[in-house]
Amino acid sequence: MFVDHVTINIKAGTGGNGMVAFRREKYEPNGGPAGGDGGRGGSVIFKVDEGLRTLMDFRYNQKFKAPAGQNGGIKSMTGRSATDKVIFVPQGTTLIDDETNTVIADLTNPGDEIVAAAGGRGGRGNIHFASPTHPAPEIAENGEPGEERRVRLELKLLADVGLIGFPSVGKSTLLAAITSAKPKIADYHFTTLTPNLGMVKLADGRDFAVADLPGLIEGAADGVGLGIEFLRHIERTRVLLHLIDVSGFEARDPYDDFLKINAELAKYDPELLNRPQIVVATKMDLPDSTAHFEELKAKLATDTTLKSAPILMAISSVTHEGLTPLIEKTATLLDETPVFPIKGIDDLEMKIQTNLEDEPAFTIDQAEDGTWVLSGRKLERLYMMADLDHEDSILRFSRQLRGMGVDDALRERGAKNGDLVAIDDFTFEFVE
């Protein structure tokens, strides 16, 4: 089964907790702090596997979690860092953050990889908190939580040329005639239910990939039929072969078909009309094709739908008439046409986009029972890394809150001595 878009959940591993420990040896009665640091949590990495052609595996497995780092140990021993979780995807996969709808990465080259969710760093042990005024601190940090995301995967075929047109105009037949692909062909609409890909090799050594994009009909960009499912695959193509049936067998106007298909492309992405387009009149071996071809030629001569004038060519995939000139012209256009950027992808270095810097450090709300509720990703991350099992750590956490401006903000909102304040499941009293 061909699957080209899925949504999955990924979670990086939490860092290991730092340890509170002290040296206790026979001849070292005051050995000092010796708690080790926690190991780093595993990251979630997406990597291209050239052997994959579909996202089918993700249909049945939609949750991926990297392991957590090991906790720190005694004698200043650092915990072991976790191994990364590597997820293999087909070449041509685009990763999109499902919450913000921003593109994370576009994995188009062999070996491309991206850290989509970074593992949390390990918490520090109490060896880091010793000072001349506090030589035996009972302070340690919990491991930093790993990043968690809901990611949308979209596979866009890596084809140089896209075959577009109404059903039954001969796209699959042409693909079979000029490549070694073996698409299913029959005399009824929607024979092709999944995109087919084939390679064309010319005698002069040039070659290019061709994709047959099925189900494109009027209304496809609005979700009618199958077209919207496969329009994304056109985004990577540099040249479009627009096949039009001029046989008259279905009593349709060829020029009207040309306008309708291009209208669907424009609805999906107006930039698609800027790409070179060869209008291919098919089924020229049938009796009335020549007359319909001349009518189409006359109408296209004055057409302004496309940015550049369309090139009109006539073929018969059954008799192979016109196929050689068509593939030669297509190859020439490809040599002259640059690669078009994928919509929404601005970060070519594939750096993870985070919005933490733009968010406030914390927010304050008041529950119905009068409890002040503190929230915010920065504050909650600080809370999760606080080891509240030791009094020294609690005092350090309170100093951190004060340094963030939480105390002053609570006073401005009207908090009084003895009021309850909650962070997640931790509740404490506000003290002036």
Side-chain angles (χ1 to χ4, degrees):
M1 182 183 294
F2 182 83
V3 177
D4 59 358
H5 60 288
V6 293
T7 302
I8 63 174
N9 295 295
I10 60 173
K11 188 179 189 308
T14 301
N17 297 333
M19 174 167 262
V20 173
F22 298 91
R23 287 182 61 190
R24 301 187 186 279
E25 299 176 17
K26 185 175 181 180
Y27 299 106
E28 293 285 347
N30 298 312
D37 300 341
R40 185 172 185 82
S43 298
V44 178
I45 299 173
F46 286 89
K47 186 173 183 178
V48 168
D49 183 343
E50 295 178 71
L52 295 176
R53 293 291 180 269
T54 175
L55 299 173
M56 182 66 184
D57 292 344
F58 298 99
R59 181 65 63 89
Y60 304 106
N61 185 13
Q62 297 179 352
K63 294 183 179 180
F64 297 85
K65 184 178 180 181
Q70 189 178 45
N71 294 336
I74 60 173
K75 298 183 180 180
S76 304
M77 292 189 294
T78 300
R80 182 184 292 109
S81 293
T83 56
D84 295 329
K85 177 71 175 180
V86 180
I87 303 174
F88 292 99
V89 294
Q91 193 174 348
T93 301
T94 301
L95 277 61
I96 303 170
D97 188 302
D98 196 52
E99 181 180 351
T100 63
N101 208 35
T102 56
V103 176
I104 300 170
D106 190 32
L107 306 178
T108 58
N109 302 309
D112 275 356
E113 62 178 60
I114 182 71
V115 178
R121 63 179 176 84
R124 293 177 294 175
N126 67 333
I127 57 173
H128 294 281
F129 300 99
S131 67
T133 59
H134 198 179
E138 292 189 1
I139 300 175
E141 291 178 335
N142 290 335
E144 182 183 28
E147 292 183 328
E148 187 170 2
R149 281 182 151 177
R150 185 166 173 81
V151 178
R152 193 163 70 248
L153 307 182
E154 293 187 358
L155 175 60
K156 299 177 178 132
L157 293 180
L158 293 174
D160 303 301
V161 178
L163 304 182
I164 61 173
F166 275 91
S168 299
V169 295
K171 298 189 296 294
S172 297
T173 305
L174 175 60
L175 184 70
I178 62 177
T179 73
S180 58
K182 304 296 181 185
K184 180 182 177 182
I185 301 171
D187 190 20
Y188 52 87
H189 286 193
F190 294 111
T191 303
T192 308
L193 299 179
T194 62
N196 290 304
L197 195 65
M199 288 296 298
V200 176
K201 297 184 182 296
L202 281 73
D204 59 9
R206 291 181 294 175
D207 57 31
F208 55 86
V210 182
D212 167 17
L213 305 172
L216 191 56
I217 61 174
E218 186 177 8
D222 298 321
V224 176
L226 302 174
I228 191 64
E229 297 295 322
F230 306 114
L231 274 169
R232 67 172 62 87
H233 297 291
I234 298 178
E235 292 183 34
R236 295 198 195 280
T237 59
R238 288 185 288 150
V239 174
L240 297 176
L241 300 188
H242 188 161
L243 275 62
I244 296 178
D245 181 358
V246 294
S247 67
F249 183 74
E250 295 191 12
R252 290 209 309 256
D253 181 354
Y255 181 66
D256 188 50
D257 286 355
F258 168 81
L259 295 177
K260 287 178 179 177
I261 292 297
N262 281 308
E264 296 307 316
L265 297 184
K267 282 183 184 178
Y268 181 76
D269 182 1
E271 292 298 319
L272 292 176
L273 298 185
N274 296 335
R275 306 192 180 190
Q277 190 174 123
I278 300 177
V279 178
V280 183
T282 64
K283 306 182 183 180
M284 289 298 294
D285 53 302
L286 297 179
D288 297 330
S289 296
T290 301
H292 293 144
F293 174 77
E294 293 300 328
E295 292 176 6
L296 176 62
K297 183 178 180 180
K299 292 179 179 179
L300 286 179
T302 58
D303 183 80
T304 58
T305 302
L306 306 178
K307 182 178 180 180
S308 57
I311 301 165
L312 179 62
M313 302 187 76
I315 67 163
S316 169
S317 298
V318 175
T319 65
H320 286 204
E321 174 192 352
L323 294 188
T324 299
L326 174 62
I327 61 176
E328 289 178 347
K329 183 61 179 178
T330 302
T332 300
L333 273 180
L334 283 172
D335 293 339
E336 300 170 352
T337 306
V339 175
F340 292 90
I342 298 298
K343 181 173 57 178
I345 297 179
D346 300 318
D347 191 357
L348 298 181
E349 295 181 1
M350 296 186 292
K351 295 179 180 178
I352 295 297
Q353 300 176 1
T354 59
N355 298 320
L356 280 175
E357 295 180 359
D358 301 328
E359 294 182 4
F362 61 90
T363 59
I364 301 177
D365 297 297
Q366 190 168 24
E368 293 181 359
D369 61 358
T371 301
W372 298 98
V373 180
L374 302 178
S375 58
R377 284 204 288 176
K378 289 183 181 179
L379 181 139
E380 289 171 359
R381 184 173 293 262
L382 190 68
Y383 160 69
M384 287 186 280
M385 294 186 67
D387 179 9
L388 302 181
D389 292 333
H390 297 89
E391 185 177 352
D392 284 355
S393 293
I394 294 175
L395 293 174
R396 178 173 178 263
F397 180 55
S398 67
R399 291 194 298 271
Q400 288 174 320
L401 293 181
R402 191 176 299 114
M404 292 176 67
V406 172
D407 286 16
D408 292 338
L410 284 169
R411 290 190 188 96
E412 289 178 6
R413 291 291 301 271
K416 299 177 182 178
N417 196 39
D419 284 359
L420 294 179
V421 181
I423 303 174
D424 196 18
D425 57 354
F426 178 62
T427 303
F428 58 94
E429 286 188 4
F430 180 69
V431 179
E432 289 284 359

